[in-house]
């Protein structure tokens, strides 16, 4: 009994700190996605859709359907540098649809990199740096 009391006294602050750290980490990650989700909702959702699956309100009027950002198989094939280039310079820069606008003069470089990370997050296709 004394041993358990001793453990509680000495390790309670450590346990509290560990739990707090885990909670803060999850909160920080949620805040990161919430911030860039606003950018996606402002610039991308009209074509790629609220579900991020290529069914936005503009999609039905397009001859080339927008990419499904939730498809891990297809999104996983795309290197990070190609995603960044497509966002920055538009679809034509990566031999895709001319209808994909260039956002390089609208978004900051930081926002473009965060958007690339967000796309990896929503497709569940990994955050690892995929090089071409």
């Amino acid at each position: 009994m004394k041993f358990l009391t001793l453990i509680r006294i000495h390790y309670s602050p450590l346990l509290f700190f560990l739990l707090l750290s885990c909670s803060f980490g999850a909160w920080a990650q949620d805040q990161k996605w919430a911030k860039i989700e606003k950018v996606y909702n402002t610039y991308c959702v009209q074509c790629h859709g609220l579900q991020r699956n290529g069914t936005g309100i503009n999609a039905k009027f397009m001859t080339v359907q927008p990419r499904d950002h939730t498809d891990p198989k297809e999104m996983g094939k795309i290197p990070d540098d190609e995603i960044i280039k497509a966002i920055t310079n538009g679809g034509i820069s990566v031999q895709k649809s001319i209808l994909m606008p260039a956002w390089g003069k609208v978004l900051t470089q930081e926002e473009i990199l965060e958007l690339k990370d967000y796309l990896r997050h929503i497709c569940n296709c990994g955050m690892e740096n995929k090089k071409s």
Side-chain angles (χ1 to χ4, degrees):
M1 186 72 164
K2 289 181 184 181
F3 178 72
L4 290 176
T5 303
L6 184 62
I7 288 176
R8 284 188 201 132
I9 291 169
H10 289 297
Y11 293 106
S12 290
L14 178 62
L15 183 60
F16 175 75
F17 176 75
L18 288 173
L19 290 173
L20 185 62
S21 296
C22 291
S23 297
F24 179 75
W27 176 83
Q29 199 66 357
D30 288 345
Q31 294 297 32
K32 174 185 176 182
W33 298 136
K35 175 186 168 207
I36 200 63
E37 186 175 46
K38 288 180 184 176
V39 172
Y40 189 98
N41 287 343
T42 300
Y43 299 103
C44 311
V45 80
Q46 293 81 4
C47 298
H48 294 282
L50 291 170
Q51 303 302 315
R52 279 74 170 128
N53 61 1
T55 59
I57 59 171
N58 293 338
K60 61 185 165 195
F61 304 110
M62 303 170 99
T63 56
V64 176
Q65 291 305 290
R67 184 173 298 279
D68 178 353
H69 289 151
T70 65
D71 183 344
K73 184 176 178 186
E74 291 303 311
M75 288 298 294
K77 293 178 185 177
I78 306 169
D80 285 355
D81 58 344
E82 187 174 321
I83 292 173
I84 293 166
K85 189 174 182 180
I87 296 168
T88 304
N89 301 317
I92 199 163
S93 70
V94 292
Q95 291 74 50
K96 298 296 180 189
S97 176
I98 193 168
L99 299 174
M100 166 69 185
W103 298 109
K105 294 188 190 268
V106 176
L107 302 174
T108 66
Q109 186 64 27
E110 180 183 356
E111 288 171 322
I112 291 169
L113 294 175
E114 289 174 343
L115 200 49
K116 181 262 306 170
D117 289 345
Y118 179 71
L119 293 176
R120 293 284 184 224
H121 171 70
I122 62 175
C123 74
N124 293 313
C125 58
M127 294 293 292
E128 66 276 359
N129 195 7
K130 298 180 182 297
K131 297 287 184 192
S132 57

